[in-house]
Amino acid sequence: MSIKSGFVALAGKPNVGKSTFINVVMGRKVVIVSDKPQTTRNRINCIYTDRDSQIIFVDTPGIHKPLHRLGEYMVKAAVQALKGVDLILFMLDAADGFTKTDEHVAKIVSESGTKTIIAVNKIDVAGEEKAKAVGQLAKSMVENVVSVHYISALKGEGVFEVLEKIKEELPEGPQYYPEDMVTDRPLSFMAAEIIREKIFHLTRQEVPHSTAVVIEEIKDRPNGVLYIRANIYVERDSQKGILIGKNGSMIKKIGTLAREELEFLVGRKVYLDLNVKVKENWREKDFIILQEIGLKDDIK
Ligand SMILES: Nc1nc2c(ncn2[C@@H]2O[C@H](COP(=O)(O)OP(=O)(O)OP(=O)(O)O)[C@@H](O)[C@H]2O)c(=O)[nH]1
């Protein structure tokens, strides 16, 4: 039996709700969501599979970067990347109105000529009129728009209509990935992202941004438990104190929440071993780069 399958690029400025949308579609948490912009340092490709379709949601490098950092070359590269996908999902924020960054994303999307679905998100907090204005402006700026939807990813409103439309527009094709695969990222990457998300949610000010999570070890224990050891690097002793908390209460909270989510992801018991370490100026160190581009080994 043939299915509908293909690659869908998620385009939209930071914080419009791309991760929230993906999480609703996937029915479980696979992408970090935060109210602090650009938390998803490394974007994850998510694979949605059902009876008659497989959709691979991909990120477009360059498109989320601040305008001032976008050289002509990067714009070209982004356009080129969008030419290579089957469909674009261009997301906008109804509450924000149509901004300069939206205009810039719209230009890149339009230039690719690729079929585009527009989703105006956050209608739960914006008036209908404002949302419609955003949708219409976006539509007028993009060449190949197949439909415009008004949604609230947070409330799950309209998300499945978008999903149906995506399926309708995708070509018939093969199932590219096994059906139980939800992301093409290794487990070590997912684990680091999940731990980082908890730190983002539970701590304030400079702490989240001074934190790096490096997965040191993932091992199958004979009793079926998955053992994961992670180092959490901060830049100063004071930050270490905050992360550990009074009598270890904060790190315990982070650990419990992260473990529960990891257990959900891998479908079995997880033992999470977290160690907070101070490493001055870790941002300049290359070990974190290695981790972020996924060079650490996955489960052995
Ligand atoms: N009110 C409202 N808030 C939303 C909606 N969708 C997402 N948000 C919120 O918007 C913020 C950003 O959402 P994300 O899903 O992380 O946005 P993103 O586009 O992936 O952001 P980046 O990773 O920065 O590119 C979070 O606080 C979400 O809870 C929505 O439909 N309504």
Side-chain angles (χ1 to χ4, degrees):
M1 192 188 91
S2 71
I3 61 164
K4 290 294 199 81
S5 69
F7 293 78
V8 178
L10 268 178
K13 66 186 172 199
N15 239 21
V16 292
K18 299 179 292 294
S19 306
T20 307
F21 175 87
I22 289 293
N23 285 332
V24 174
V25 168
M26 301 296 294
R28 62 172 115 185
K29 290 200 65 185
V30 282
V31 221
I32 223 170
V33 181
S34 165
D35 51 7
K36 304 172 182 78
Q38 291 195 302
T39 47
T40 325
R41 285 188 213 164
N42 247 315
R43 297 240 158 211
I44 303 159
N45 291 346
C46 285
I47 307 158
Y48 169 88
T49 310
D50 66 15
R51 218 164 22 93
D52 50 13
S53 72
Q54 182 166 73
I55 306 166
I56 301 109
F57 289 98
V58 298
D59 177 46
T60 321
I63 211 162
H64 319 284
K65 290 272 188 314
L67 267 179
H68 63 271
R69 277 169 55 194
L70 261 189
E72 202 182 322
Y73 167 76
M74 283 191 71
V75 172
K76 275 197 187 133
V79 171
Q80 211 49 41
L82 289 179
K83 278 193 173 141
V85 298
D86 297 291
L87 197 64
I88 297 168
L89 179 60
F90 178 16
M91 198 172 279
L92 298 105
D93 184 330
D96 253 11
F98 192 83
T99 65
K100 268 260 167 250
T101 316
D102 293 321
E103 191 179 327
H104 147 77
V105 178
K107 270 188 195 143
I108 293 177
V109 167
S110 185
E111 220 169 288
S112 73
T114 302
K115 278 198 293 189
T116 301
I117 292 175
I118 290 175
V120 181
N121 189 31
K122 306 196 188 180
I123 53 162
D124 55 308
V125 284
E128 197 183 320
E129 220 170 285
K130 197 163 177 193
K132 287 259 146 63
V134 171
Q136 270 154 17
L137 260 171
K139 187 171 183 226
S140 71
M141 286 199 61
V142 177
E143 190 192 301
N144 199 352
V145 176
V146 291
S147 60
V148 182
H149 304 257
Y150 296 91
I151 69 168
S152 168
L154 192 67
K155 304 234 181 286
E157 274 167 39
V159 170
F160 286 93
E161 285 77 0
V162 173
L163 192 63
E164 283 310 309
K165 185 66 186 167
I166 291 173
K167 284 190 203 175
E168 196 186 308
E169 294 294 335
L170 282 181
E172 289 194 350
Q175 188 180 305
Y176 294 95
Y177 296 95
E179 59 192 35
D180 59 350
M181 214 167 142
V182 292
T183 166
D184 61 356
R185 290 291 190 154
L187 182 61
S188 56
F189 174 86
M190 298 301 294
E193 283 285 285
I194 287 169
I195 296 164
R196 218 159 54 78
E197 186 205 35
K198 302 309 164 206
I199 297 168
F200 258 87
H201 279 172
L202 293 169
T203 63
R204 297 266 165 269
Q205 282 146 15
E206 95 289 359
V207 177
H209 292 286
S210 313
T211 304
V213 179
V214 177
I215 304 297
E216 292 293 328
E217 192 179 357
I218 301 184
K219 225 170 34 192
D220 273 317
R221 288 241 169 111
N223 59 0
V225 172
L226 187 66
Y227 173 81
I228 302 176
R229 183 162 57 86
N231 286 344
I232 301 174
Y233 291 97
V234 287
E235 293 181 313
R236 283 193 295 278
D237 277 331
S238 59
Q239 295 164 344
K240 181 175 173 176
I242 294 171
L243 265 188
I244 290 177
K246 211 171 168 207
N247 299 324
S249 57
M250 178 57 91
I251 195 70
K252 210 167 159 189
K253 217 187 267 175
I254 293 167
T256 305
L257 290 173
R259 177 181 52 75
E260 284 169 0
E261 199 165 321
L262 277 162
E263 286 180 340
F264 187 59
L265 188 75
V266 297
R268 60 182 161 131
K269 284 245 167 289
V270 169
Y271 186 100
L272 189 57
D273 185 1
L274 297 180
N275 307 284
V276 185
K277 293 177 189 282
V278 179
K279 197 155 194 147
E280 269 175 45
N281 304 323
W282 64 255
R283 288 174 220 232
E284 289 152 29
K285 303 267 194 310
D286 56 5
F287 75 90
I288 189 65
I289 311 278
L290 290 178
Q291 166 73 12
E292 292 223 335
I293 59 175
L295 287 185
K296 286 239 158 192
D297 282 342
D298 202 12
I299 185 165
K300 291 232 173 57

